[in-house]
Amino acid sequence: MSVEKIQSTITGAENIRWDLSDLYSGPDDPTIESHIEDSRKLSIVFSDRYKNRVIKLSDSELKTAYEELITIFNQMIEASQYANLLLSTSTNDDQAKGLQSKLDVAFSEISNNLVFFDLELGKLPNDKLQEFQSSIDLEKYLYIISRTCDLARYQLSEGEEKAITLKNITGKSAFKNLYGEVSSAFIYEFAINGEIKQYSGDELRALRYHPDTDVRKRAMETYFKKYEDNKIVFTSVFNSIIKDFNISKNQRGYTSSINVRNTENDLDDSVINTLIDVTTESYSLVQRYYKLKKKLLGLDELTLADIYAPLPEADKQFSWDEAKALVLDAFGSFDSDFYEKAKLMFDKNRIDAPAVKNKRGGAFCSSSTPKRNPFVLLNFTGKVRDVSTLAHELGHAIHSMYSKKQHIFTAHPILPLAETASVFSEMILTDLLLNTYDDDSLKISLLSTKLEDIFSTSHRQNMFTRFEVRAHDRIDKSLLSSTDMCTIYNEELKLMFGDSVTYTDEYQWEWSCIPHMIRVPFYVYSYNFANLLVLSLYQQYLEEKSAFIPKFKEFLSMGSSAKPTDIINLVDQDIHDPQFWQKSIVYIESMIDRLESLIG
């Protein structure tokens, strides 16, 4: 389906659309229905074959059972990916919505047919679990078997799990869909130089990088006003999803809201608490930088609408071809295999680039099964950060390609490790740009851009995490009003930025436009985790050069096939050591020192 283009600047990305024919020929492709029916029938056969006898299976029988599960889920995951990709580029497409709804229902039915497997496997006796540790047949499945047994204590009865799966269709899943439909439909009327145009949310947010202070301020006032006007909907959505999350938390016996995500990530609470504490303690670096930026911009007052304001030397538009060349050059400077994997994404039309109406905002990399290469969605408007975003999402794609040796249950890394290759790729790009040019003013721009990216990816996400912790704690006891949400968010904003910025009223509504907090609660600390992890890894690469690359590739190839601490140990890092995280902060401080020396 064609969609009306609303991109305000011609970049050459207008016709860069992905080709989904690798999955299906179209939303009415009969193969989709065939895959749904095949998976449904196979799930019934699987249930008849294995129900009430999982813990009695031999190692070879358990291996066969996993292979059958992989076949069932491979087809459904590819079909679901296709529907999601269709909908992400045309959020008002009724045919895509219908397909997504059909797949949601089918997935719920199939999942219910199979829910017994993990419930029974979780009751595997310790002696049999120990016996399986030496099984060659189960080598690829040992970690997920152990994890299933570890997580069994948080599972409810089979009947309860089935009821929850079915109720989610009209429960939290419906609220998430409502949020996406309402927010993605926002079209903003906004005037620049007396000319009123229509903007998508992403295009309006891109005006934060506009050189005119008044445009930046009015753009953000306009953007947040839509969310304030819809506060009843968004407050209800946040309350409902967070309350549902905490009801589940309490029923299953987790110790805290964030412990749910930590447990799923197989990370100790102490590691994440240390990460949050170290990042919070370093907020002074954020404040130090933005006081420098105020000086660089020559402003009497720096508001939150100005924190991404371009320096005069950085106000450059990149064409799609320029962005593509820069990113490929950056990957090539690191490793030829990285270059080839990134190039494949362009050559095989697996990127959807333009910012258009009714397209999902932001950017993402979608990976489904190990036999399929990923797809990348962007909203490319030609800004320097869009170039960085391209490198970021292609980093995800490269990560996915390296983990192809895993099966569907272990190919996708846990959330905190899922950002490693993406952030590392951004740093490769920044380093290439810094080393290419001798112009101090350009280096100031590049350092400023990278510091802002770091603060956005680490400290800002840490602020979101702290907001989530407080909101979940409060909503667990009683629902919150929009005023309550705004108050908590304001307090966290002021803790992070201190006296380095001036606060305006519209930013108190920012909490309502952060979809990660409702789509995947506590997802956001993954960005901070990965960012600070990568700062250490990148420093290690600078010291070890080519010797580091094989270790890093092995790290990326692991997916989620081992405990996170074991995967990180492959590159000689210990995340339990607070000094590990502190080294990352020291690296950030060195960048600010370098920037100060250039400014004089």
Side-chain angles (χ1 to χ4, degrees), residues 63-194:
K63 175 189 176 184
T64 300
Y66 270 114
E67 290 171 344
E68 292 174 11
L69 283 174
I70 288 170
T71 298
I72 294 169
F73 279 112
N74 271 351
Q75 294 186 145
M76 287 302 297
I77 287 171
E78 288 181 3
S80 291
Q81 181 192 36
Y82 181 72
N84 179 263
L85 294 178
L86 282 180
L87 199 56
S88 66
T89 53
S90 188
T91 57
N92 64 343
D93 186 333
D94 289 336
Q95 189 176 21
K97 288 180 183 178
L99 179 59
Q100 182 71 72
S101 177
K102 176 189 287 188
L103 283 159
D104 285 345
V105 172
F107 235 125
S108 292
E109 179 184 343
I110 291 167
S111 295
N112 270 346
N113 291 339
L114 303 173
V115 70
F116 76 90
F117 185 79
D118 280 350
L119 292 173
E120 291 187 31
L121 188 63
K123 299 175 182 177
L124 198 68
N126 284 334
D127 57 346
K128 195 161 189 178
L129 180 60
Q130 290 300 316
E131 177 186 327
F132 284 163
Q133 297 302 311
S134 59
S135 169
I136 297 176
D137 282 336
L138 291 177
E139 186 176 4
K140 294 195 300 184
Y141 307 104
L142 284 177
Y143 179 65
I144 58 172
I145 292 171
S146 297
R147 287 291 289 149
T148 299
C149 293
D150 290 341
L151 294 171
R153 57 182 171 151
Y154 301 107
Q155 293 172 333
L156 305 177
S157 69
E158 182 178 350
E160 289 171 316
E161 294 290 355
K162 284 184 175 182
I164 289 170
T165 300
L166 290 173
K167 291 292 288 181
N168 280 345
I169 296 174
T170 54
K172 67 179 182 181
S173 295
F175 277 108
K176 291 176 184 180
N177 290 337
L178 173 64
Y179 178 90
E181 289 174 7
V182 172
S183 60
S184 65
F186 287 165
I187 297 296
Y188 301 83
E189 301 279 344
F190 189 75
I192 298 181
N193 297 326

Side-chain angles (χ1 to χ4, degrees), residues 379-448:
N379 280 271
F380 187 85
T381 61
K383 300 295 184 182
V384 66
R385 278 184 173 78
D386 293 335
V387 184
S388 185
T389 298
L390 174 59
H392 180 102
E393 299 305 337
L394 287 176
H396 279 304
I398 290 169
H399 197 162
S400 175
M401 293 180 198
Y402 274 114
S403 65
K404 275 177 171 287
K405 73 175 188 179
Q406 307 296 337
H407 53 76
I408 186 62
F409 299 126
T410 59
H412 300 282
I414 64 165
L415 294 178
L417 299 188
E419 296 298 329
T420 309
S422 55
V423 178
F424 195 94
S425 297
E426 287 186 62
M427 295 185 70
I428 295 171
L429 175 66
T430 300
D431 207 30
L432 174 74
L433 295 173
L434 283 171
N435 292 330
T436 299
Y437 301 99
D438 293 326
D439 186 344
D440 282 353
S441 63
L442 183 56
K443 288 184 178 181
I444 288 172
S445 296
L446 291 171
L447 281 168
S448 297

Side-chain angles (χ1 to χ4, degrees), residues 231-274:
K231 64 183 179 183
I232 293 175
V233 173
F234 292 135
T235 302
S236 178
V237 166
F238 269 69
N239 270 301
S240 297
I241 289 176
I242 293 175
K243 187 65 178 178
D244 177 272
F245 188 90
N246 281 276
I247 289 172
S248 176
K249 171 207 73 177
N250 294 330
Q251 287 180 319
R252 296 177 185 279
Y254 292 96
T255 57
S256 69
S257 300
I258 197 170
N259 177 250
V260 178
R261 186 67 54 216
N262 296 345
T263 301
E264 290 182 2
N265 288 333
D266 200 8
L267 290 166
D268 297 338
D269 285 357
S270 61
V271 170
I272 302 307
N273 290 338
T274 299

Side-chain angles (χ1 to χ4, degrees), residues 367-590:
S367 300
S368 57
T369 64
K371 69 177 182 177
R372 302 289 183 191
N373 285 324
F375 292 89
V376 162
L377 178 139
L378 306 168
N379 280 271
F380 187 85
T381 61
K383 300 295 184 182
V384 66
R385 278 184 173 78
D386 293 335
V387 184
S388 185
T389 298
L390 174 59
H392 180 102
E393 299 305 337
L394 287 176
H396 279 304
I398 290 169
H399 197 162
S400 175
M401 293 180 198
Y402 274 114
S403 65
K404 275 177 171 287
K405 73 175 188 179
Q406 307 296 337
H407 53 76
I408 186 62
F409 299 126
T410 59
H412 300 282
I414 64 165
L415 294 178
L417 299 188
E419 296 298 329
T420 309
S422 55
V423 178
F424 195 94
S425 297
E426 287 186 62
M427 295 185 70
I428 295 171
L429 175 66
T430 300
D431 207 30
L432 174 74
L433 295 173
L434 283 171
N435 292 330
T436 299
Y437 301 99
D438 293 326
D439 186 344
D440 282 353
S441 63
L442 183 56
K443 288 184 178 181
I444 288 172
S445 296
L446 291 171
L447 281 168
S448 297
T449 298
K450 188 56 190 174
L451 281 165
E452 288 172 21
D453 286 343
I454 289 172
F455 293 142
S456 176
T457 310
S458 283
H459 296 73
R460 180 176 165 81
Q461 305 304 320
N462 189 67
M463 178 186 69
F464 293 163
T465 301
R466 288 175 56 92
F467 170 82
E468 280 192 279
V469 169
R470 294 178 64 185
H472 277 256
D473 184 59
R474 292 274 300 278
I475 291 174
D476 191 21
K477 301 175 179 64
S478 63
L479 300 184
L480 297 182
S481 68
S482 57
T483 301
D484 294 329
M485 298 279 204
C486 289
T487 298
I488 296 172
Y489 194 79
N490 258 334
E491 290 172 355
E492 291 302 325
L493 267 178
K494 291 177 179 177
L495 181 64
M496 175 175 165
F497 288 98
D499 62 354
S500 65
V501 301
T502 298
Y503 302 88
T504 50
D505 290 343
E506 66 271 11
Y507 268 84
Q508 67 184 322
W509 297 101
E510 189 172 31
W511 60 268
S512 62
C513 64
I514 305 167
H516 279 328
M517 293 199 294
I518 60 169
R519 288 180 182 149
V520 189
F522 298 102
Y523 177 96
V524 292
Y525 81 61
S526 302
Y527 289 109
N528 187 23
F529 188 109
N531 207 43
L532 298 190
L533 171 67
V534 170
L535 291 178
S536 290
L537 294 183
Y538 196 71
Q539 181 60 41
Q540 184 178 350
Y541 160 62
L542 294 177
E543 294 169 358
E544 297 181 4
K545 297 298 182 183
S546 59
F548 171 81
I549 296 175
K551 293 186 289 187
F552 192 49
K553 289 180 178 179
E554 185 180 6
F555 171 100
L556 298 179
S557 73
M558 293 293 288
S560 58
S561 62
K563 192 173 179 64
T565 49
D566 294 337
I567 295 175
I568 295 171
N569 283 342
L570 293 173
V571 287
D572 307 318
Q573 298 287 1
D574 179 10
I575 58 174
H576 289 96
D577 184 357
Q579 290 304 309
F580 161 71
W581 301 109
Q582 192 59 45
K583 287 177 183 177
S584 304
I585 303 304
V586 171
Y587 183 87
I588 298 171
E589 187 170 18
S590 72

Side-chain angles (χ1 to χ4, degrees), residues 294-322:
K294 178 180 175 182
K295 177 181 176 181
L296 285 168
L297 292 173
L299 295 176
D300 295 329
E301 177 183 70
L302 189 78
T303 73
L304 286 168
D306 299 318
I307 61 175
Y308 300 117
L311 301 177
E313 301 80 14
D315 187 26
K316 171 177 169 51
Q317 282 289 124
F318 291 87
S319 70
W320 175 254
D321 287 341
E322 287 173 329

